[in-house]
């Protein structure tokens, strides 16, 4: 299938892939709507066939292909499809027929389609187009119902005369269906795994050209050993034979292994799942077939000998070393039972041995998780494998895009299994890595919050993830889960957009849960990561989110935070996070009354100008005071002398601050600052706002100069400078910022 959107893990995506991805994101704008609700491209040039294939592939990958969007492929004037995979999409038979059956398809994978579509519907649709009957060479229909109540009962493959490869695994195909298939004159590859076939005799009709036969898990087969061997011996062109078994407790001999004269040209044999296999039996079998390139031996007990290591030309899917396990993970991605067995052995291996950084192995594990997203067994052991493969320094050397995919899959797994404590714990253990959550690349523009620079993951996934982690936090009292959940949710929240933070902050149970954790940790005087991550999460959730601030107040958050300021006087990190949230509250006009408490303001004032307090604490203390003493509503109702003292101390403190060497804070918008720059504001208020702007502009002048320009902040600064009544300190600081920005603009 097309791979235009795939890339080297550290390399850029292709230009064609990016363009097609853009089309997918903007389908609604590029299309008109037919009377039946389906989309059609309003204006479309004739796409090259490869780009048409890439478009439908990308729509599937992005999860946007359905009856409505599939309509863009109706007709062949603009889009010409040849190789199509629509596996696992939800489509109706009618939409499939109208959109895809007019194309001259060469390959079609319609495995595990959801909806009312059946094998019969697909065959009827494909057979209705003479060109398609002549062109279709590969067809995969794994996991579909053969017939529906309204289907034509006369199921037939025989009209697709050009078929060379057919997959009907895990369908209800029976002996009559196999007989029909075996009349296809060019068929050389057949997969009948998990079907209802009892007799393989019809395969003799393909004996001169059948190259590959996959019959995994063919439990209904009712043939004597002699009959089976007789049929296999007549398949003279057979190079690949898969008779693996998903009933792993089966103890039976494989008579083929003891018959060197049968299938001497065999190159690939899979007998995984049959426990009656031994290295001793395999050695003469292989010596009689020097062309063997693959052996499937997982869950057989065989494979420990050096000649079966899998390191040379003979690849082996087994369980005795990492090479064998990787082959098993690759081969058995679609086979839940065998995949779970391979993952279990991988977990044991990574527990016992230091195998180093293994990105290829991690990629295989992630692929298995995606394929079996609803399997408890697969998810339980695969999440444990992910932790072992990314723990500590192992994650640092992993490709970043791969880690991004892993994060998405872990989040999906948490969402799918909210009540499974061990799966939740495994996912959180893997996610609870600073390297993974703070450096993996995501698909939005760079954003920064509270002193950290982040790139965005698909935002809706992050939003759901944050909710899911908080749900986990409310369901389980386990201290380890609590510590990990708080850490992960703090980092996830810091990646969300303002709008999504607003939605998340409006969830009262989230604010209450975090406040409860802060209360628990503070009641025992703890100074640990759980307390600090909970404080960070609350700080982020209340940023530009008045509703979250109100929930915070309604749940006695202000009383708790007032106690924290006094109790944790010795910890600048805790004080900065507490003051950061109070600063968020002070920015909300109708909540400022809550902060108009004389004792509280006097304490914050002490933090503002204390010589032993770090500048980060003083800065956020100044933010609270600047907002409360500004000439905005509500009017100051406390002692006027206190306000004058605050404004004087604010002015003198700001001009004495030395910016820290490290990144202290970051902003996505300066909107809360602009009202503080009005010419009517006291100089101390203006200075605090200007110092904060200058601080981050110096950290990243290119980013913030653009932000100031786009928001109209430069006009605000020029207006301030042109006012003859402003204080000289204010004029000087505003001028410094303008010089920094204009220098950057001149360098563009």
């Amino acid at each position: 299938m097309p791979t235009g959107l795939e890339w080297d893990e550290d390399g850029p995506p292709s230009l064609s892939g990016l363009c097609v991805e853009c089309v997918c994101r903007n389908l609604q704008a590029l299309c008109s709507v037919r009377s039946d609700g389906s989309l059609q491209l309003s204006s479309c040039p004739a796409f090259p066939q490869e780009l048409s294939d890439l478009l439908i592939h990308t729509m599937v990958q992005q999860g946007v292909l359905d009856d409505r969007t599939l309509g863009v492929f109706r007709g062949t004037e603009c889009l010409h499809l040849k190789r199509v995979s629509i596996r696992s999409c939800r489509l109706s038979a009618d939409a499939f027929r109208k959109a895809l059956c007019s194309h001259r398809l060469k390959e079609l994978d319609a495995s595990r389609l959801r909806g009312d579509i059946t094998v019969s519907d697909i065959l009827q649709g494909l057979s209705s187009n003479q060109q398609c009957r002549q062109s279709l060479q590969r067809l995969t229909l794994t996991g579909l119902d053969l017939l529906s109540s309204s289907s034509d009962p006369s199921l037939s493959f025989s009209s697709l005369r050009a078929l060379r490869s057919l997959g009907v695994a895990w369908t209800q195909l029976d002996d009559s269906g196999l007989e029909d298939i075996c009349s296809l004159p060019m068929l050389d590859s057949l997969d009948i795994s998990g079907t209802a076939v009892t007799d393989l005799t019809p395969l003799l009709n393909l004996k001169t050209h059948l190259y590959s036969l996959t019959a995994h898990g063919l439990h209904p087969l009712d043939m004597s050993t002699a009959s089976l061997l007789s049929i296999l011996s007549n398949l003279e062109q057979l190079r690949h034979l898969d008779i693996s078994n998903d009933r792993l407790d089966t103890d039976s001999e494989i008579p083929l292994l003891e018959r060197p004269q049968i299938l001497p040209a065999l190159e690939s044999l899979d007998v995984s799942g049959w426990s009656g296999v031994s290295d001793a039996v395999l050695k003469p079998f292989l010596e009689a077939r020097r062309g063997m390139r693959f052996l499937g031996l997982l869950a057989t007990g065989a494979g420990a000998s050096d000649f079966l290591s899998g390191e040379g030309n003979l690849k082996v899917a087994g369980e005795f070393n990492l090479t064998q396990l990787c082959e098993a993970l690759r081969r058995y991605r679609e086979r839940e039972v065998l995949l779970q067995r391979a993952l279990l052995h991988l977990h044991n291996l990574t527990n016992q041995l230091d195998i180093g950084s293994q990105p290829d192995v991690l990629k295989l594990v992630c692929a298995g998780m995606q394929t079996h997203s609803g399997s408890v067994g697969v998810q339980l052991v695969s999440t444990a494998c992910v932790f072992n493969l990314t723990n500590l320094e192992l994650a640092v050397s992993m490709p970043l895009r791969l880690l991004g995919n892993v994060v998405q899959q872990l989040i999906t797994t948490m969402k799918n299994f909210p009540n499974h404590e061990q799966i939740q714990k495994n996912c959180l253990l893997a996610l609870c890595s600073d390297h993974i959550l703070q450096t993996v690349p995501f698909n939005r523009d760079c954003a920064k919050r509270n002193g950290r620079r982040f790139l965005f993951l698909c935002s809706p996934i992050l939003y759901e993830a944050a909710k899911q982690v908080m749900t986990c936090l409310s369901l389980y009292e386990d201290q380890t889960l609590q510590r990990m959940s708080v850490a992960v949710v703090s980092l996830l929240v810091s990646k969300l957009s303002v709008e999504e933070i607003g939605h998340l902050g409006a969830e009262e149970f989230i604010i209450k849960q975090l406040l409860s954790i802060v209360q628990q940790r503070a009641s025992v005087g703890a100074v640990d990561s759980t307390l600090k991550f909970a404080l960070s999460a609350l700080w982020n959730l209340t940023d530009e989110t008045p509703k979250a601030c109100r929930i915070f107040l309604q749940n006695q958050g202000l009383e708790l935070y007032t106690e924290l300021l006094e109790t944790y006087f010795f910890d600048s990190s805790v004080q900065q996070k507490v003051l950061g949230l109070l600063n968020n509250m002070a920015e909300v006009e109708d909540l400022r009354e809550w902060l108009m408490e004389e004792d509280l303001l006097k304490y914050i004032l002490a933090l503002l100008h204390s010589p032993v307090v770090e500048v980060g604490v003083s800065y956020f203390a100044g933010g609270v005071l600047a907002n409360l003493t500004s000439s905005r509503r509500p009017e100051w109702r406390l002692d006027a002398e206190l306000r004058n003292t605050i404004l004087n101390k604010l002015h003198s403190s700001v001009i004495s601050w030395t910016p820290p060497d490290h990144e202290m804070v970051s902003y996505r918008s300066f909107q809360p600052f602009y009202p503080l720059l009005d010419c009517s504001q006291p100089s101390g208020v203006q200075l605090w706002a200007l110092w904060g702007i200058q601080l981050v502009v110096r950290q990243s002048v290119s980013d913030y100069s653009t932000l100031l320009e786009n928001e109209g902040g430069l006009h605000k600064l020029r207006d301030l400078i042109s006012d003859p009544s402003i204080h000289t300190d204010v004029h000087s600081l505003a001028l410094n910022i303008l010089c920094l920005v204009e220098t950057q603009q001149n360098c563009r």
Side-chain angles (χ1 to χ4, degrees), residues 387 391-392 414 421 424-434 437 469-470 472-492 513-514 516-518 520-521 526-537:
F387 172 70
N391 192 22
L392 302 176
M414 291 189 72
E421 184 172 350
Q424 296 290 318
K425 185 176 291 187
N426 289 353
C427 291
L428 289 169
L429 279 167
L431 287 172
C432 204
S433 160
D434 285 349
L437 279 183
V469 175
M470 289 307 305
C472 173
L473 197 55
S474 64
L475 288 175
Y476 304 110
E477 296 182 358
D478 182 271
Q479 290 296 307
T480 302
L481 270 178
Q482 184 186 83
R483 183 178 67 254
M484 293 187 295
S485 296
V486 173
V488 172
V489 80
S490 175
L491 294 171
L492 289 174
Q513 187 69 35
L514 289 169
S516 174
I517 291 170
V518 172
Q520 290 171 15
R521 305 312 296 155
V527 184
D528 56 17
S529 60
T530 302
L531 172 67
K532 293 184 178 182
F533 275 123
L535 291 171
S536 293

Side-chain angles (χ1 to χ4, degrees), residues 405-433:
N405 292 336
V406 169
V407 169
Q408 290 197 41
Q409 189 54 49
L410 290 171
I411 291 168
T412 300
T413 298
M414 291 189 72
K415 187 176 179 182
N416 289 346
F417 299 94
N419 299 315
H420 197 295
E421 184 172 350
Q422 190 58 52
I423 287 180
Q424 296 290 318
K425 185 176 291 187
N426 289 353
C427 291
L428 289 169
L429 279 167
L431 287 172
C432 204
S433 160

Side-chain angles (χ1 to χ4, degrees), residues 278-279 282 297 300-306 308-309 316 320-321 324:
S278 68
D279 292 11
L282 287 169
L297 299 177
T300 63
S305 299
D306 289 343
L308 296 172
S309 67
V316 176
F320 285 93
N321 59 49
Q324 291 183 357

Side-chain angles (χ1 to χ4, degrees), residues 93-137:
D94 185 57
F96 172 84
R97 177 180 55 80
K98 289 178 178 178
L100 297 182
C101 294
S102 59
H103 293 269
R104 190 179 176 87
L105 298 177
K106 187 174 181 179
E107 300 177 12
L108 174 64
D109 184 350
S111 299
R112 307 189 189 283
L113 289 179
R114 296 171 292 158
D116 63 358
I117 192 167
T118 64
V119 171
S120 177
D121 295 325
I122 292 174
L123 293 180
Q124 288 179 41
L126 296 173
S127 299
S128 66
N129 177 1
Q130 182 179 357
Q131 286 188 326
C132 192
R133 292 200 302 269
Q134 296 171 348
S135 65
L136 191 65
Q137 296 182 15

Side-chain angles (χ1 to χ4, degrees), residues 537-582:
L538 284 164
W539 184 6
N540 279 323
L541 285 170
T542 54
D543 187 24
E544 299 184 55
T545 313
K547 187 169 184 179
C549 291
R550 291 188 183 92
I551 295 172
F552 172 85
L553 290 169
Q554 291 162 4
N555 287 276
Q556 291 73 51
L558 182 57
E559 293 85 343
L560 174 60
Y561 269 46
T562 301
E563 293 177 10
L564 292 177
L565 277 179
E566 298 177 0
T567 305
Y568 288 89
F569 64 90
F570 57 88
D571 193 301
S572 60
S573 174
V574 171
Q575 288 190 318
Q576 184 169 319
K577 297 175 194 301
V578 169
L579 290 166
L581 186 145
L582 298 182

